[in-house]
Amino acid sequence: MLGERGDVAVNICCSSRDLSVLSQNAVPWLLNVNQDASQDESKSESARRPGDRSPFCYSPGQFFFEYLVVVSLKKKSGGDYEPKIIYQFPKPVGRGPRFPEVFCIISCLGCFGLFSKILDEVEKRRQISMAVIYPFMQGLRESPFPAPGKTVTIKSFIPDSGTELIELTRPLDSWLEHVEFQALLQHLSPENILWLFASAVLERRIIFVAEELSVLSQCIHAVAALLYPFSWAHTYIPVVPECLIDTVCCPTPFMVGVQKRCLEQVLDQPMEEVLLVDLCEGKFLRSVCDEGDILPAKLQTEMLTSLKTHNSNNNIQTSEQVNAHVSKTFMQFFVKTVGHYTSHLKWNKSGQGSFQEKAFCKAITSKSCRKFVKRFVRTQMFSLFIQEAERSRMIQEGYFQQKVTEYQEQKKKQRTNS
């Protein structure tokens, strides 16, 4: 089911061997897509900006989900097929077109990893019997939704297996609820991820190409999440419909995804400088050719080492661990390059802040870092971040600022010990 509940947009998490659902005005998650099934329905995509705050906040008593819906295809007398809901919990009301063969969890809360685990459990039970799904979902719906960083344990009985304990954990960092970095690590080398990040930081034009919608969606969301605490502030379309393929000709910054079957159409477009990323082959088809020189060399080496450590570290296995490791790697880059911004915010008596840009840049001792920061401060994402900081000191109490404070205290101890 797609759309909105009243005036409130809902999030839809889907799992299927055949097709997945895209949601308008919600966080879209795409899993296990079959390219041949209902292509037209699969082309729409949300253009919601990454980093946008969800209007929904955690509160005690919040349901895990609104509905679970299983949709399949029914053959008509004329030989074609029409979608039909074959299972639903609880009974949703209303009629309308449905997508074929897809599990849907409809919730106001966006937690990709958590809902993916639930869908895995649903699909496992479906292999046994549809009747086994109901008690599991009933137990889930009666359980409290965990607060950030907390875990809830669900008891579930499976015939011939007995009672299982299923642990569902929400990440402590809210921006990681909508992202899975594993897909990005699987499709691109650490070097290419860094160059992709460098292009995104300077708000360049980036096109992702992949055969599967799920790969496009997961990877483009992951790249956007690497920018935390900043947010991509330009055109953002995880899956571009074929009818809008000329979006890649836009002269302004954009981050878009295109199915590989449309690659020739993309290459025929009169594009300006772009970074064209082939996620199937794990390489760049087009680039500006300076991507490796954008980030300060020393920090780039540190980040590269960290990403390669992930690839060789057998202890990092769960999606939560991967997300935490990758997020920390890129957040530390911003901590070290622009974390001193609060020292250059001057406040008047009315509480209005004013950012001292020249002093901010001059305070950076490393020439390579200063060169990068002088380019970065001209981006819209940095401007919007600073504007928010100037409006309220509350931003200085956030997660990013906590990491900045930890880093600065660590540097003081090092200087004292030396």
Side-chain angles (χ1 to χ4, degrees), residues 150-299:
K150 301 299 182 180
T151 298
V152 65
T153 302
I154 309 295
K155 291 184 178 180
S156 177
F157 176 80
I158 298 181
D160 299 326
S161 298
T163 301
E164 291 186 353
L165 297 179
I166 302 169
E167 292 189 343
L168 301 171
T169 304
R170 284 184 72 186
L172 181 62
D173 312 325
S174 60
W175 76 92
L176 295 180
E177 290 186 323
H178 309 288
V179 66
E180 288 289 332
F181 288 123
Q182 190 64 58
L184 195 62
L185 294 168
Q186 289 173 343
H187 290 87
L188 293 175
S189 68
E191 290 85 357
N192 282 348
I193 292 176
L194 281 182
W195 296 346
L196 178 55
F197 169 73
S199 295
V201 164
L202 292 189
E203 298 182 328
R204 292 183 169 180
R205 291 175 284 275
I206 306 173
I207 305 171
F208 297 82
V209 177
E211 292 179 353
E212 298 182 7
L213 295 177
S214 58
V215 173
L216 280 177
S217 180
Q218 290 173 2
C219 288
I220 196 170
H221 282 310
V223 172
L226 294 179
L227 300 174
Y228 177 85
F230 304 94
S231 299
W232 183 260
H234 302 278
T235 301
Y236 178 81
I237 313 176
V239 182
V240 176
E242 191 171 354
C243 62
L244 297 178
I245 209 72
D246 58 358
T247 300
V248 300
C249 302
C250 182
T252 56
F254 59 74
M255 195 184 295
V256 301
V258 177
Q259 286 187 272
K260 195 156 189 178
R261 61 186 176 81
C262 301
L263 179 58
E264 290 302 320
Q265 292 175 257
V266 171
L267 294 174
D268 288 340
Q269 300 296 320
M271 298 181 292
E272 296 187 18
E273 293 182 333
V274 298
L275 180 64
L276 183 55
V277 186
D278 187 336
L279 295 170
C280 299
E281 301 295 331
K283 63 182 182 181
F284 298 155
L285 301 181
R286 288 191 183 180
S287 66
V288 181
C289 297
D290 68 342
E291 288 83 1
D293 302 322
I294 295 173
L295 306 180
K298 182 180 178 181
L299 295 183

